[in-house]
Amino acid sequence: MNEPDLGNKQSEGPGYRVPLYYRKLKHNIGGSGSVGAGDLFYQVFEGLNNRIATSEGRDFINFCSYNYLDLCGDPDVAMAAEAAIRKYGTSVSASRIVSGERPLHRELEAAIAGFVGTEDSIVFVGGFSTNEDTIAHLMGEGDSIFLDEYIHKSAQLGASMSGAKTYSFPHNDLEALEQMLSAHRAEGKNALIVVEGVYSMDGDIPDLPKLIELKRRYQTLLMVDEAHSIGVLGQTGRGLSEHFGTDPGHVDIWMGTLSKSFASCGGYIAGNAELIEYLRYTAPGFVYSVGLAPPMAAAALKAIQLIEAQPDRVRDLRSRVSTFHELALSAGLNIGDANQASAVIPVIIGRADSTIALSRVLKDNGILALPIGYPAVSKTKARIRFFISSGHTDEDIRRTVEIIAESSISG
Ligand SMILES: Cc1ncc(COP(=O)(O)O)c(C=O)c1O
């Protein structure tokens, strides 16, 4: 394919001109040829994003949804959201600090704190902004932040907005982190280590007991982003601390999203009462922003109540996850370092064009699983990322692994 003529400067004239790198990106992903994947992204789906997704009237077995516990689409969750709209409307129409506070917010925050095992919690309107705002607000000039190199963009941006000195340690390499702490901890006033409970592209997990030991020895704060681990890890879905059997109180800042296992939209910070009260009165993205919308608060609250009342959901998810792991490994697929309990499972192919081709083979066979390439992962590690849900059947998974193995594009 010919490269487009990108020129070396933006054209003149009124209005915003997109940067050159974007024109190149658009050229690379555009179209539906062997390299382009434009037809795979921004597809429109006609119904729920759960086990089955429907596009242009065709049903697909769907591995693209982080509706891990099948609660988005659950009738009780939908009824709770509808009742909240009838009672409170679609928006609280104000920041909570002035007239936006509703009983639902308090109930949801108490439920999250109870579920995670902390004194209190606070909910923000977006998961992304929860990370950005909290890190940027709690840390500042003269402080240090130590980030896993694979940490989500929202935490990276929060760190750079904070003005603190930022260090990135090689992914999940806690010996390298220790060397960095030993070399640089003394330079900063306050220090924060940020990791994910389950990494969103690789499905691997950090060694929490070792992190707790390091944070104590080097007197830092520890923050864990549980976007993909809450509702998934641990016997009852309580996340990374339950997985390792550690006291949740040993982590200073638990962050999570409402958009995955909790079937809603928004994010939370859970921790001690002092931290949460401080955020409630001072975090800019909380104080200067509208309160969480009533249907979103009600949906997340009902989802947590159902996770507690229906332990089969987490159990079924664990069983489907282990089926995928077993079958993928015995078919010789490269699933990298994905943890056996993680519902994010990459099938690493390597080249972007082969990965896109495999995604198309799957689609032709009625299976939806999208390619992930650079810059989300390194150029040589393009992959298909599978999100497993408690709603999948063993047969869905068996068929999918068989198709990949038979495609001869399995990495
Ligand atoms: C690890 C991680 N943190 C934060 C977020 C942001 O969450 P949300 O999509 O709910 O804004 C995501 C999004 O997928 C994520 O993967």
Side-chain angles (χ1 to χ4, degrees), residues 55-76:
S55 181
E56 295 175 356
R58 194 173 158 210
D59 286 349
F60 295 90
I61 296 168
N62 178 23
F63 290 97
C64 298
S65 162
Y66 37 58
N67 186 9
Y68 293 126
L69 298 173
D70 212 20
L71 283 161
C72 178
D74 178 274
D76 289 339

Side-chain angles (χ1 to χ4, degrees), residues 66 126-128 131 152 154 196 200 225 227-228 255 257 259-260 266:
Y66 37 58
F128 194 100
N131 266 339
H152 194 259
S154 50
E196 287 181 31
S200 59
D225 174 339
H228 299 276
M255 178 272 169
T257 64
S259 59
K260 298 171 174 73

